[in-house]
Amino acid sequence: MERRVAERLRGTLGPLGLEPHAFKVGWYNAVLQPAFHLPYPDDTLAFVVLSTPSMFDKAFKPFVKKERLKIIRDPVDQCVSYHLSRVKEKFPDQRVDVMFDYEILPSRKPKFLAQTAAHVAGAAYYYQRKDVKHDSWGKKKIYGVCIHPKYGGWFAIRGLLLFPDIQVLSLEQPAPVDCVSTEEKRIELLEQFNFHWQDSRYRDIIEVKERYSEEQRAYFATPPAERFRLLGLTQ
């Protein structure tokens, strides 16, 4: 069942530059405190969905052109929401729950921890301070960051697709590729991400096979309030 669902998802989302990775809810819940658990049985089938560099041209620009006359809250969020919500049409006999990376609970906690989901699904390695043996950061708060073996930091984690009616007992957990394997590189990655994230150098911590286009980089470098004008939209 998992294989058929995965193939259908790849066929639907792949042409849009979106990449689904399967995991069991139990893998995710096992590494988090109860306050962050997903409220599903451990064997529930889920997918974390990444946007790759090609999503901008394959999904986002066509969506903006088609939706030009509509009021759009955030163009990228709206685009991803539209395409992931349409996945339900591909599974008329299944319940499909969708969570987006920008959604928060009444407690102000995020609905899910995106980087943890990507790590347990084997999609991208979540590098954190605990992955470094010796550092000089003292009491500074150091945030972790996911690195994809193909795209480096040139990708985003957009959402979860959960199939509550599908329980997968025998799904094997894939290990994420540890592509930043030396202590020196991990320190460099975390320092660039935490202290110099605006220049995007952390995204190229490894040799990448594909990165954002100049147009896409310019879009994301533009303050959110000005992106509407950049796209020819009115807020």
Side-chain angles (χ1 to χ4, degrees):
M1 174 64 80
E2 176 273 327
R3 192 168 299 168
R4 290 200 302 271
V5 173
E7 288 175 356
R8 192 176 299 179
L9 283 178
R10 284 193 291 269
T12 301
L13 299 175
L16 299 168
L18 297 170
E19 195 175 273
H21 293 265
F23 69 98
K24 288 166 63 168
V25 165
W27 303 347
Y28 175 91
N29 287 349
V31 297
L32 293 171
Q33 297 174 354
F36 292 102
H37 284 185
L38 294 171
Y40 300 86
D42 283 351
D43 290 324
T44 302
L45 177 63
F47 292 81
V48 61
V49 180
L50 314 182
S51 62
T52 71
S54 67
M55 187 275 283
F56 195 80
D57 284 327
K58 291 180 175 178
F60 179 61
K61 287 165 69 176
F63 175 80
V64 169
K65 186 175 182 181
K66 182 179 178 182
E67 302 295 312
R68 181 171 296 278
L69 299 178
K70 295 187 179 180
I71 297 172
I72 299 179
R73 174 175 48 83
D74 177 90
V76 171
D77 288 349
Q78 189 84 0
C79 172
V80 172
S81 173
Y82 171 78
H83 286 298
L84 292 192
S85 296
R86 289 199 67 191
V87 164
K88 296 180 181 183
E89 299 172 11
K90 302 293 182 180
F91 299 92
D93 299 325
Q94 298 288 348
R95 175 182 157 196
V96 184
D97 293 347
V98 186
M99 295 182 185
F100 300 102
D101 66 300
Y102 53 82
E103 290 185 299
I104 58 174
L105 298 167
S107 63
R108 308 302 295 171
K109 288 186 176 73
K111 272 198 171 181
F112 73 98
L113 299 183
Q115 299 199 105
T116 299
H119 186 94
V120 300
Y125 200 106
Y126 184 23
Y127 292 97
Q128 303 174 73
R129 188 171 185 170
K130 64 183 178 62
D131 295 310
V132 173
K133 293 187 178 69
H134 307 288
D135 66 61
S136 58
W137 299 317
K139 295 183 179 180
K140 290 179 181 175
K141 173 70 174 177
I142 300 296
Y143 294 95
V145 60
C146 273
I147 295 295
H148 191 286
K150 180 178 178 181
Y151 307 118
W154 300 101
F155 77 103
I157 304 159
R158 298 297 183 182
L160 295 186
L161 297 170
L162 298 116
F163 292 79
D165 300 329
I166 301 178
Q167 303 295 300
V168 282
L169 303 178
S170 59
L171 188 63
E172 292 188 13
Q173 184 172 8
V177 178
D178 182 6
C179 48
V180 188
S181 55
T182 69
E183 174 93 350
E184 181 183 20
K185 275 292 186 182
R186 290 179 179 182
I187 290 173
E188 181 184 347
L189 168 65
L190 292 174
E191 288 190 343
Q192 288 181 358
F193 178 70
N194 280 272
F195 309 128
H196 309 285
W197 61 269
Q198 296 96 331
D199 63 22
S200 290
R201 280 184 297 155
Y202 80 89
R203 300 180 190 270
D204 286 313
I205 194 68
I206 63 169
E207 187 173 338
V208 301
K209 296 180 180 177
E210 190 179 350
R211 57 171 57 86
Y212 291 174
S213 64
E214 287 301 319
E215 181 185 17
Q216 188 170 180
R217 292 177 71 171
Y219 175 81
F220 286 116
T222 301
E226 298 174 23
R227 291 175 184 172
F228 295 91
R229 185 161 48 83
L230 195 68
L231 295 170
L233 299 167
T234 55
Q235 189 167 357

